[in-house]
Amino acid sequence: QKEVEQNSGPLSVPEGAIASLNCTYSDRGSQSFFWYRQYSGKSPELIMSIYSNGDKEDGRFTAQLNKASQYVSLLIRDSQPSDSATYLCAVPFSGYSTLTFGKGTMLLVSP
Amino acid sequence: DAGVIQSPRHEVTEMGQEVTLRCKPISGHNSLFWYRQTMMRGLELLIYFNNNVPIDDSGMPEDRFSAKMPNASFSTLKIQPSEPRDSAVYFCASSPARGARGYTFGSGTRLTVV
């Protein structure tokens, strides 16, 4: 069973705060992990990928991976109202060549 | 690069009609994916092509759905006959490598079947 679980939210944070988005996945053999951002009425956009345990930073975004616990998280520092969107976690399960997406977490950043 | 191009952007059709959705992937991308997105089920993979060959069509819901990729620059997803439960946003995505990497999505086609 290929499962990628995310809290649907909405996660509400004030401007300038840190937003923490979490994702768990069912396949211990998964090797790569992706975060997509989707604005309302738009298509998903890749913002982060991570392959190794630990942290990967890109500007205000940090992806964290813990393969033993089968979770991946996305931290957004200094959150801005323009970060308000749905964030999708995507995982390729072992033996498959395609991405399985979680249903996404809606983030609302208030000014 | 123009990105992944989908047409039409919106489609409203009556139940029982044939619907054809079109996709032009990014030039040089070898993998093409069709996904369907609904509030209830999220993003679901329908079919995956690599080098124009269908590799995984296990997500195609039933025989009413068919997809083709006659060449590297064009793919179609056809629904015949359409039903109200097919109403969703259909996304095409492409990737430069075989298998799961960071996809680039098209703008999507919002299909409404009445």
Side-chain angles (χ1 to χ4, degrees), chain B residues 20-90:
Chain B
T20 299
L21 311 181
R22 297 173 176 79
C23 175
K24 176 180 170 57
I26 292 173
S27 178
H29 281 197
N30 297 326
S31 295
L32 182 139
F33 312 85
W34 282 100
Y35 279 81
R36 176 172 68 177
Q37 187 174 39
T38 61
M39 288 292 291
M40 287 292 293
R41 300 174 68 88
L43 266 171
E44 302 175 283
L45 176 71
L46 299 177
I47 189 167
Y48 155 50
F49 291 89
N50 183 257
N51 291 327
N52 314 337
V53 176
I55 303 298
D56 182 359
D57 66 354
S58 58
M60 297 286 266
E62 48 199 273
D63 292 345
R64 297 184 299 106
F65 285 68
S66 62
K68 294 182 179 179
M69 192 165 185
N71 56 61
S73 59
F74 184 65
S75 177
T76 59
L77 178 67
K78 185 177 294 185
I79 308 172
Q80 166 64 21
S82 58
E83 296 183 3
R85 60 193 168 121
D86 302 329
S87 298
V89 180
Y90 291 79

Side-chain angles (χ1 to χ4, degrees), chain A residues 57-102:
Chain A
E57 188 173 316
D58 183 0
R60 295 186 297 110
F61 297 94
T62 299
Q64 299 177 318
L65 174 61
N66 185 323
K67 290 185 179 180
S69 300
Q70 294 175 234
Y71 86 84
V72 57
S73 61
L74 180 69
L75 302 179
I76 306 175
R77 291 183 301 281
D78 188 23
S79 295
Q80 302 296 309
S82 58
D83 294 325
S84 297
T86 296
Y87 290 80
L88 303 167
C89 175
V91 180
F93 285 86
S94 53
Y96 291 87
S97 300
T98 56
L99 290 177
T100 298
F101 286 82

Side-chain angles (χ1 to χ4, degrees), chain B residues 88-102:
Chain B
V89 180
Y90 291 79
F91 287 106
C92 176
S94 69
S95 171
R98 179 183 176 89
R101 294 291 184 271

Side-chain angles (χ1 to χ4, degrees), chain B residues 1-6 24-27 94 104-106:
Chain B
D1 197 323
V4 178
I5 300 172
Q6 291 188 245
K24 176 180 170 57
I26 292 173
S27 178
S94 69
T104 300
F105 281 83

Side-chain angles (χ1 to χ4, degrees), chain B residues 7-21:
Chain B
S7 64
R9 290 295 306 274
H10 302 274
E11 177 80 36
V12 180
T13 191
E14 292 185 347
M15 182 173 63
Q17 296 299 303
E18 177 179 297
V19 175
T20 299
L21 311 181

